[in-house]
PDB file of all heavy atoms in Angstrom:
ATOM      1  N   SER A   1      20.049  17.257  -1.522  1.00 94.00           N
ATOM      2  CA  SER A   1      20.429  16.680  -0.236  1.00 94.00           C
ATOM      3  C   SER A   1      21.578  17.422   0.376  1.00 94.00           C
ATOM      4  O   SER A   1      21.643  17.694   1.576  1.00 94.00           O
ATOM      5  CB  SER A   1      20.759  15.182  -0.407  1.00 94.00           C
ATOM      6  OG  SER A   1      21.190  14.649   0.827  1.00 94.00           O
ATOM      7  N   VAL A   2      22.629  17.740  -0.481  1.00 94.00           N
ATOM      8  CA  VAL A   2      23.760  18.489   0.024  1.00 94.00           C
ATOM      9  C   VAL A   2      23.333  19.893   0.574  1.00 94.00           C
ATOM     10  O   VAL A   2      23.839  20.316   1.591  1.00 94.00           O
ATOM     11  CB  VAL A   2      24.770  18.631  -1.090  1.00 94.00           C
ATOM     12  CG1 VAL A   2      25.846  19.692  -0.732  1.00 94.00           C
ATOM     13  CG2 VAL A   2      25.439  17.305  -1.383  1.00 94.00           C
ATOM     14  N   CYS A   3      22.425  20.499  -0.181  1.00 94.00           N
ATOM     15  CA  CYS A   3      22.020  21.869   0.279  1.00 94.00           C
ATOM     16  C   CYS A   3      21.190  21.787   1.531  1.00 94.00           C
ATOM     17  O   CYS A   3      21.292  22.645   2.409  1.00 94.00           O
ATOM     18  CB  CYS A   3      21.209  22.478  -0.889  1.00 94.00           C
ATOM     19  SG  CYS A   3      22.223  22.878  -2.359  1.00 94.00           S
ATOM     20  N   ARG A   4      20.328  20.800   1.680  1.00 94.00           N
ATOM     21  CA  ARG A   4      19.589  20.635   2.937  1.00 94.00           C
ATOM     22  C   ARG A   4      20.515  20.384   4.086  1.00 94.00           C
ATOM     23  O   ARG A   4      20.324  20.911   5.212  1.00 94.00           O
ATOM     24  CB  ARG A   4      18.620  19.425   2.781  1.00 94.00           C
ATOM     25  CG  ARG A   4      17.400  19.780   1.923  1.00 94.00           C
ATOM     26  CD  ARG A   4      16.412  18.615   1.961  1.00 94.00           C
ATOM     27  NE  ARG A   4      15.258  18.843   1.098  1.00 94.00           N
ATOM     28  CZ  ARG A   4      14.230  19.503   1.445  1.00 94.00           C
ATOM     29  NH1 ARG A   4      14.155  20.123   2.630  1.00 94.00           N
ATOM     30  NH2 ARG A   4      13.199  19.671   0.587  1.00 94.00           N
ATOM     31  N   SER A   5      21.552  19.544   3.882  1.00 94.00           N
ATOM     32  CA  SER A   5      22.535  19.226   4.915  1.00 94.00           C
ATOM     33  C   SER A   5      23.274  20.545   5.278  1.00 94.00           C
ATOM     34  O   SER A   5      23.585  20.737   6.512  1.00 94.00           O
ATOM     35  CB  SER A   5      23.475  18.149   4.494  1.00 94.00           C
ATOM     36  OG  SER A   5      22.820  16.959   4.207  1.00 94.00           O
ATOM     37  N   TYR A   6      23.569  21.410   4.305  1.00 95.00           N
ATOM     38  CA  TYR A   6      24.176  22.643   4.599  1.00 95.00           C
ATOM     39  C   TYR A   6      23.307  23.497   5.497  1.00 95.00           C
ATOM     40  O   TYR A   6      23.795  24.099   6.475  1.00 95.00           O
ATOM     41  CB  TYR A   6      24.510  23.325   3.298  1.00 95.00           C
ATOM     42  CG  TYR A   6      25.109  24.761   3.476  1.00 95.00           C
ATOM     43  CD1 TYR A   6      26.247  24.945   4.158  1.00 95.00           C
ATOM     44  CD2 TYR A   6      24.542  25.856   2.763  1.00 95.00           C
ATOM     45  CE1 TYR A   6      26.781  26.247   4.325  1.00 95.00           C
ATOM     46  CE2 TYR A   6      25.071  27.111   2.899  1.00 95.00           C
ATOM     47  CZ  TYR A   6      26.156  27.327   3.676  1.00 95.00           C
ATOM     48  OH  TYR A   6      26.718  28.582   3.773  1.00 95.00           O
ATOM     49  N   ARG A   7      22.043  23.567   5.191  1.00 93.00           N
ATOM     50  CA  ARG A   7      21.143  24.362   6.050  1.00 93.00           C
ATOM     51  C   ARG A   7      21.088  23.811   7.440  1.00 93.00           C
ATOM     52  O   ARG A   7      21.124  24.585   8.431  1.00 93.00           O
ATOM     53  CB  ARG A   7      19.738  24.319   5.443  1.00 93.00           C
ATOM     54  CG  ARG A   7      18.742  25.176   6.197  1.00 93.00           C
ATOM     55  CD  ARG A   7      17.328  25.030   5.636  1.00 93.00           C
ATOM     56  NE  ARG A   7      16.815  23.656   5.761  1.00 93.00           N
ATOM     57  CZ  ARG A   7      15.618  23.287   5.340  1.00 93.00           C
ATOM     58  NH1 ARG A   7      14.799  24.182   4.786  1.00 93.00           N
ATOM     59  NH2 ARG A   7      15.231  22.055   5.430  1.00 93.00           N
ATOM     60  N   ASP A   8      21.050  22.474   7.594  1.00 92.00           N
ATOM     61  CA  ASP A   8      21.024  21.858   8.952  1.00 92.00           C
ATOM     62  C   ASP A   8      22.316  22.188   9.683  1.00 92.00           C
ATOM     63  O   ASP A   8      22.296  22.449  10.933  1.00 92.00           O
ATOM     64  CB  ASP A   8      20.852  20.371   8.789  1.00 92.00           C
ATOM     65  CG  ASP A   8      19.469  20.031   8.260  1.00 92.00           C
ATOM     66  OD1 ASP A   8      18.568  20.873   8.256  1.00 92.00           O
ATOM     67  OD2 ASP A   8      19.281  18.900   7.737  1.00 92.00           O
ATOM     68  N   ALA A   9      23.485  22.144   8.986  1.00 93.00           N
ATOM     69  CA  ALA A   9      24.757  22.372   9.661  1.00 93.00           C
ATOM     70  C   ALA A   9      24.804  23.838  10.071  1.00 93.00           C
ATOM     71  O   ALA A   9      25.369  24.147  11.142  1.00 93.00           O
ATOM     72  CB  ALA A   9      25.896  22.089   8.687  1.00 93.00           C
ATOM     73  N   LEU A  10      24.305  24.798   9.306  1.00 92.00           N
ATOM     74  CA  LEU A  10      24.264  26.207   9.714  1.00 92.00           C
ATOM     75  C   LEU A  10      23.436  26.380  10.973  1.00 92.00           C
ATOM     76  O   LEU A  10      23.809  27.224  11.819  1.00 92.00           O
ATOM     77  CB  LEU A  10      23.671  27.049   8.560  1.00 92.00           C
ATOM     78  CG  LEU A  10      24.498  27.284   7.339  1.00 92.00           C
ATOM     79  CD1 LEU A  10      23.645  27.987   6.250  1.00 92.00           C
ATOM     80  CD2 LEU A  10      25.688  28.155   7.671  1.00 92.00           C
ATOM     81  N   SER A  11      22.384  25.580  11.150  1.00 88.00           N
ATOM     82  CA  SER A  11      21.530  25.742  12.336  1.00 88.00           C
ATOM     83  C   SER A  11      22.276  25.371  13.595  1.00 88.00           C
ATOM     84  O   SER A  11      21.863  25.789  14.703  1.00 88.00           O
ATOM     85  CB  SER A  11      20.237  24.832  12.140  1.00 88.00           C
ATOM     86  OG  SER A  11      19.530  25.194  11.029  1.00 88.00           O
ATOM     87  N   GLU A  12      23.281  24.533  13.517  1.00 87.00           N
ATOM     88  CA  GLU A  12      24.027  24.094  14.665  1.00 87.00           C
ATOM     89  C   GLU A  12      25.377  24.796  14.829  1.00 87.00           C
ATOM     90  O   GLU A  12      26.132  24.570  15.725  1.00 87.00           O
ATOM     91  CB  GLU A  12      24.308  22.618  14.585  1.00 87.00           C
ATOM     92  CG  GLU A  12      23.036  21.763  14.492  1.00 87.00           C
ATOM     93  CD  GLU A  12      23.227  20.313  14.289  1.00 87.00           C
ATOM     94  OE1 GLU A  12      24.509  19.978  14.158  1.00 87.00           O
ATOM     95  OE2 GLU A  12      22.332  19.521  14.220  1.00 87.00           O
ATOM     96  N   LEU A  13      25.591  25.769  13.930  1.00 84.00           N
ATOM     97  CA  LEU A  13      26.933  26.440  13.869  1.00 84.00           C
ATOM     98  C   LEU A  13      26.996  27.584  14.944  1.00 84.00           C
ATOM     99  O   LEU A  13      26.023  28.386  15.038  1.00 84.00           O
ATOM    100  CB  LEU A  13      27.198  26.978  12.487  1.00 84.00           C
ATOM    101  CG  LEU A  13      28.589  27.354  12.094  1.00 84.00           C
ATOM    102  CD1 LEU A  13      29.407  26.104  11.977  1.00 84.00           C
ATOM    103  CD2 LEU A  13      28.619  28.107  10.807  1.00 84.00           C
ATOM    104  N   PRO A  14      28.105  27.739  15.638  1.00 80.00           N
ATOM    105  CA  PRO A  14      28.291  28.911  16.572  1.00 80.00           C
ATOM    106  C   PRO A  14      28.542  30.130  15.774  1.00 80.00           C
ATOM    107  O   PRO A  14      28.935  30.130  14.626  1.00 80.00           O
ATOM    108  CB  PRO A  14      29.470  28.501  17.415  1.00 80.00           C
ATOM    109  CG  PRO A  14      30.251  27.577  16.539  1.00 80.00           C
ATOM    110  CD  PRO A  14      29.254  26.811  15.746  1.00 80.00           C
ATOM    111  N   GLN A  15      28.259  31.277  16.428  1.00 68.00           N
ATOM    112  CA  GLN A  15      28.499  32.540  15.780  1.00 68.00           C
ATOM    113  C   GLN A  15      30.029  32.676  15.616  1.00 68.00           C
ATOM    114  O   GLN A  15      30.859  32.097  16.346  1.00 68.00           O
ATOM    115  CB  GLN A  15      28.021  33.692  16.641  1.00 68.00           C
ATOM    116  CG  GLN A  15      26.501  33.694  16.906  1.00 68.00           C
ATOM    117  CD  GLN A  15      26.086  34.661  17.926  1.00 68.00           C
ATOM    118  OE1 GLN A  15      26.810  35.560  18.238  1.00 68.00           O
ATOM    119  NE2 GLN A  15      24.880  34.453  18.415  1.00 68.00           N
ATOM    120  N   ARG A  16      30.431  33.465  14.581  1.00 64.00           N
ATOM    121  CA  ARG A  16      31.810  33.713  14.212  1.00 64.00           C
ATOM    122  C   ARG A  16      32.617  32.358  14.082  1.00 64.00           C
ATOM    123  O   ARG A  16      33.687  32.177  14.601  1.00 64.00           O
ATOM    124  CB  ARG A  16      32.503  34.533  15.274  1.00 64.00           C
ATOM    125  CG  ARG A  16      31.924  35.959  15.351  1.00 64.00           C
ATOM    126  CD  ARG A  16      32.691  36.798  16.329  1.00 64.00           C
ATOM    127  NE  ARG A  16      32.535  36.415  17.712  1.00 64.00           N
ATOM    128  CZ  ARG A  16      31.501  36.765  18.491  1.00 64.00           C
ATOM    129  NH1 ARG A  16      30.589  37.575  18.000  1.00 64.00           N
ATOM    130  NH2 ARG A  16      31.393  36.272  19.699  1.00 64.00           N
ATOM    131  N   ALA A  17      31.968  31.446  13.308  1.00 62.00           N
ATOM    132  CA  ALA A  17      32.552  30.065  13.200  1.00 62.00           C
ATOM    133  C   ALA A  17      33.907  30.129  12.505  1.00 62.00           C
ATOM    134  O   ALA A  17      34.695  29.161  12.637  1.00 62.00           O
ATOM    135  CB  ALA A  17      31.593  29.216  12.445  1.00 62.00           C
ATOM    136  N   LEU A  18      34.183  31.126  11.695  1.00 64.00           N
ATOM    137  CA  LEU A  18      35.486  31.189  10.991  1.00 64.00           C
ATOM    138  C   LEU A  18      36.439  32.103  11.749  1.00 64.00           C
ATOM    139  O   LEU A  18      37.550  32.370  11.260  1.00 64.00           O
ATOM    140  CB  LEU A  18      35.310  31.696   9.590  1.00 64.00           C
ATOM    141  CG  LEU A  18      34.482  30.758   8.649  1.00 64.00           C
ATOM    142  CD1 LEU A  18      34.410  31.355   7.270  1.00 64.00           C
ATOM    143  CD2 LEU A  18      35.097  29.383   8.600  1.00 64.00           C
ATOM    144  N   GLY A  19      36.066  32.578  12.904  1.00 58.00           N
ATOM    145  CA  GLY A  19      36.909  33.473  13.699  1.00 58.00           C
ATOM    146  C   GLY A  19      37.294  32.775  14.982  1.00 58.00           C
ATOM    147  O   GLY A  19      37.545  31.596  15.048  1.00 58.00           O
ATOM    148  N   ASN A  20      37.217  33.570  16.075  1.00 51.00           N
ATOM    149  CA  ASN A  20      37.511  33.065  17.407  1.00 51.00           C
ATOM    150  C   ASN A  20      36.320  32.429  18.091  1.00 51.00           C
ATOM    151  O   ASN A  20      35.489  33.127  18.624  1.00 51.00           O
ATOM    152  CB  ASN A  20      38.075  34.229  18.262  1.00 51.00           C
ATOM    153  CG  ASN A  20      38.617  33.648  19.594  1.00 51.00           C
ATOM    154  OD1 ASN A  20      38.375  32.559  19.983  1.00 51.00           O
ATOM    155  ND2 ASN A  20      39.370  34.510  20.252  1.00 51.00           N
ATOM    156  N   GLU A  21      36.235  31.104  18.034  1.00 47.00           N
ATOM    157  CA  GLU A  21      35.010  30.431  18.456  1.00 47.00           C
ATOM    158  C   GLU A  21      34.853  30.511  19.996  1.00 47.00           C
ATOM    159  O   GLU A  21      33.807  30.265  20.494  1.00 47.00           O
ATOM    160  CB  GLU A  21      34.957  28.988  17.961  1.00 47.00           C
ATOM    161  CG  GLU A  21      34.912  28.912  16.415  1.00 47.00           C
ATOM    162  CD  GLU A  21      34.720  27.509  15.928  1.00 47.00           C
ATOM    163  OE1 GLU A  21      34.289  26.686  16.727  1.00 47.00           O
ATOM    164  OE2 GLU A  21      35.016  27.207  14.784  1.00 47.00           O
ATOM    165  N   THR A  22      35.953  30.740  20.703  1.00 46.00           N
ATOM    166  CA  THR A  22      35.879  30.859  22.158  1.00 46.00           C
ATOM    167  C   THR A  22      35.023  31.978  22.585  1.00 46.00           C
ATOM    168  O   THR A  22      34.515  31.982  23.692  1.00 46.00           O
ATOM    169  CB  THR A  22      37.270  30.945  22.779  1.00 46.00           C
ATOM    170  OG1 THR A  22      37.881  32.222  22.276  1.00 46.00           O
ATOM    171  CG2 THR A  22      38.200  29.837  22.333  1.00 46.00           C
ATOM    172  N   LYS A  23      34.808  32.998  21.718  1.00 49.00           N
ATOM    173  CA  LYS A  23      33.985  34.151  22.109  1.00 49.00           C
ATOM    174  C   LYS A  23      32.570  34.008  21.578  1.00 49.00           C
ATOM    175  O   LYS A  23      31.756  34.917  21.761  1.00 49.00           O
ATOM    176  CB  LYS A  23      34.628  35.421  21.488  1.00 49.00           C
ATOM    177  CG  LYS A  23      35.942  35.774  22.086  1.00 49.00           C
ATOM    178  CD  LYS A  23      36.453  37.101  21.478  1.00 49.00           C
ATOM    179  CE  LYS A  23      37.765  37.519  22.074  1.00 49.00           C
ATOM    180  NZ  LYS A  23      38.279  38.803  21.512  1.00 49.00           N
ATOM    181  N   SER A  24      32.291  32.924  20.937  1.00 48.00           N
ATOM    182  CA  SER A  24      30.911  32.696  20.405  1.00 48.00           C
ATOM    183  C   SER A  24      29.916  32.565  21.485  1.00 48.00           C
ATOM    184  O   SER A  24      30.130  31.931  22.525  1.00 48.00           O
ATOM    185  CB  SER A  24      30.899  31.506  19.495  1.00 48.00           C
ATOM    186  OG  SER A  24      31.770  31.638  18.402  1.00 48.00           O
ATOM    187  N   GLN A  25      28.743  33.079  21.298  1.00 58.00           N
ATOM    188  CA  GLN A  25      27.626  33.017  22.177  1.00 58.00           C
ATOM    189  C   GLN A  25      26.394  32.561  21.381  1.00 58.00           C
ATOM    190  O   GLN A  25      25.813  33.361  20.748  1.00 58.00           O
ATOM    191  CB  GLN A  25      27.381  34.330  22.924  1.00 58.00           C
ATOM    192  CG  GLN A  25      28.555  34.803  23.747  1.00 58.00           C
ATOM    193  CD  GLN A  25      28.277  36.171  24.379  1.00 58.00           C
ATOM    194  OE1 GLN A  25      27.244  36.721  24.176  1.00 58.00           O
ATOM    195  NE2 GLN A  25      29.220  36.609  25.168  1.00 58.00           N
ATOM    196  N   GLY A  26      26.044  31.300  21.566  1.00 69.00           N
ATOM    197  CA  GLY A  26      24.823  30.833  20.874  1.00 69.00           C
ATOM    198  C   GLY A  26      25.095  30.482  19.409  1.00 69.00           C
ATOM    199  O   GLY A  26      26.186  30.607  18.926  1.00 69.00           O
ATOM    200  N   CYS A  27      24.008  30.051  18.749  1.00 78.00           N
ATOM    201  CA  CYS A  27      24.090  29.639  17.338  1.00 78.00           C
ATOM    202  C   CYS A  27      23.626  30.798  16.431  1.00 78.00           C
ATOM    203  O   CYS A  27      23.176  31.845  16.917  1.00 78.00           O
ATOM    204  CB  CYS A  27      23.218  28.429  17.129  1.00 78.00           C
ATOM    205  SG  CYS A  27      23.789  26.976  18.026  1.00 78.00           S
ATOM    206  N   LEU A  28      23.773  30.577  15.155  1.00 85.00           N
ATOM    207  CA  LEU A  28      23.350  31.597  14.169  1.00 85.00           C
ATOM    208  C   LEU A  28      21.847  31.757  14.263  1.00 85.00           C
ATOM    209  O   LEU A  28      21.089  30.795  14.440  1.00 85.00           O
ATOM    210  CB  LEU A  28      23.770  31.146  12.732  1.00 85.00           C
ATOM    211  CG  LEU A  28      25.220  30.955  12.467  1.00 85.00           C
ATOM    212  CD1 LEU A  28      25.454  30.515  11.025  1.00 85.00           C
ATOM    213  CD2 LEU A  28      26.013  32.206  12.781  1.00 85.00           C
TER     214      LEU A  28
END
């Protein structure tokens, strides 16, 4: 369940999520 939730969270994550998110364009 934890691993599935991780996959779902990745699907909604912006690019460069650990960097400058203001420059992100779209999701992974």
Side-chain angles (χ1 to χ4, degrees):
S1 177
V2 167
C3 294
R4 286 186 183 277
S5 298
Y6 175 54
R7 183 184 63 180
D8 295 341
L10 286 171
S11 301
E12 300 174 359
L13 198 69
Q15 298 171 17
R16 296 184 292 274
L18 295 181
N20 188 346
E21 297 186 19
T22 61
K23 295 183 179 180
S24 298
Q25 298 178 357
C27 296
L28 299 180

